[in-house]
Amino acid sequence: MCDICVMNSVKDKMLSRRNFFKGTAAAGLAAVGAAAATTPAMAGGHGTVEDMTHTLHEDFPTYFGQSGFSREQVFNYAEHFFNLQQLTVNEHTGTHVDAPLHFSADGTSVDEIPVSSLVAPLCVIDIAARAAEDADTPVTPEDVQAWISKHGEIPENACVAMHSGWGPKVNSDGFRNFDGTAQHYPGFHVEATQMLLEQTGAQSIAVDTLSLDHGISADFASHYAWLPTGRFGIECLANLDKVPAAGATLVIGAPKHKGGTGGPARIFAMI
């Protein structure tokens, strides 16, 4: 059968199915709404969901300053009756996961991260006020201890996230904050990273900036301390100002391409 015949056949079937679905949509939505109200996650004390993911686009800032994302429209609805884009993406672009393999010779790749680690208690360490005065400030052991003193021990499998207030800068030069020699934004000091490794069961750390290490770092000390242990990181997290310091659950939709060192992820918090 010729290509145009196939497409016309598909189009006719779509129109027929569309009329059927119009008649059942309202009932279907009502059933979904009823089911959603009784899901285990919401029954467990979560009432709302917050998107923690920035929208990925061609001009999204990257660590190296070059675009890490592009797309090509391969099929379009006007000509082919369906849309399809071809994407080209650097693994470490946008809101994304750093797998252990990113900073180790033979570490766990992104597709090998246990799914149990991708649903995590969220612990938010807020250094936004300090970062507003000093872009180079890192999360310190004192910050970690202050969080523990106020909220209790960091739970097993937790994601410990730095809220520096950097998220709103994402579509400006201030997000990368490059002065011609170095980048300037907060991250985790290696001593804080080491404290989390030695004294907690956290499985991931996250930042609302471009790097787990603060921007002026020349040695990626926190990357090298954290990732080779089999734990993972998240960079460019969004909306940390909209979630509580403790009590939310982070759901990390990590990509699953074989041998990946990381990749863009859809991440949300249940509050």
Side-chain angles (χ1 to χ4, degrees):
M1 183 180 290
C2 66
D3 290 345
I4 190 63
C5 295
V6 171
M7 287 189 287
N8 283 335
S9 176
V10 170
K11 182 181 179 183
D12 290 341
K13 289 179 180 179
M14 287 172 61
L15 290 172
S16 176
R17 287 168 62 85
R18 185 179 300 166
N19 291 330
F20 170 78
F21 283 120
K22 281 181 178 178
T24 59
L29 287 172
V32 169
T38 58
T39 59
M42 293 305 179
H46 300 97
T48 61
V49 179
E50 186 65 47
D51 193 356
M52 309 299 287
T53 315
H54 289 294
T55 299
L56 184 57
H57 54 84
E58 288 84 347
D59 296 321
F60 197 96
T62 65
Y63 184 85
F64 294 106
Q66 300 171 338
S67 177
F69 175 79
S70 64
R71 55 186 169 170
E72 176 189 358
Q73 187 84 31
V74 179
F75 294 94
N76 65 79
Y77 195 85
E79 296 180 59
H80 310 105
F81 306 113
F82 67 97
N83 293 304
L84 186 150
Q85 298 181 24
Q86 180 81 23
L87 307 181
T88 301
V89 59
N90 180 304
E91 290 177 310
H92 299 273
T93 304
T95 301
H96 68 275
V97 169
D98 278 8
L101 184 59
H102 186 36
F103 271 75
S104 57
D106 56 359
T108 301
S109 57
V110 72
D111 57 302
E112 296 171 332
I113 295 175
V115 69
S116 58
S117 297
L118 299 176
V119 180
L122 178 61
C123 306
V124 181
I125 297 177
D126 188 345
I127 63 166
R130 197 166 77 231
E133 301 296 327
D134 178 9
D136 296 321
T137 191
V139 173
T140 66
E142 291 76 18
D143 294 319
V144 177
Q145 186 56 56
W147 190 97
I148 293 171
S149 296
K150 184 173 183 179
H151 302 287
E153 294 299 319
I154 290 173
E156 290 294 311
N157 196 52
C159 175
V160 179
M162 174 196 76
H163 168 43
S164 71
W166 230 247
K169 301 176 185 284
V170 70
N171 290 316
S172 72
D173 290 339
F175 193 73
R176 189 164 179 259
N177 207 18
F178 183 62
D179 65 6
T181 302
Q183 300 174 62
H184 298 275
Y185 44 76
F188 279 86
H189 193 284
V190 67
E191 292 178 0
T193 303
Q194 203 65 46
M195 179 181 178
L196 292 170
L197 286 170
E198 296 172 359
Q199 300 182 26
T200 79
Q203 290 297 305
S204 57
I205 56 176
V207 295
D208 53 1
T209 59
L210 281 168
S211 177
L212 301 179
D213 289 272
H214 54 313
I216 60 171
S217 170
D219 57 7
F220 297 104
S222 282
H223 278 85
Y224 280 114
W226 188 260
L227 297 179
T229 67
R231 296 165 175 83
F232 66 95
I234 303 169
E235 294 170 336
C236 300
L237 207 57
N239 293 326
L240 280 166
D241 59 326
K242 297 180 180 179
V243 296
T249 299
L250 198 67
V251 181
I252 305 152
K256 198 177 180 182
H257 54 293
K258 189 175 181 63
T261 70
R266 186 65 183 267
I267 302 175
F268 57 90
M270 298 187 298
I271 304 166

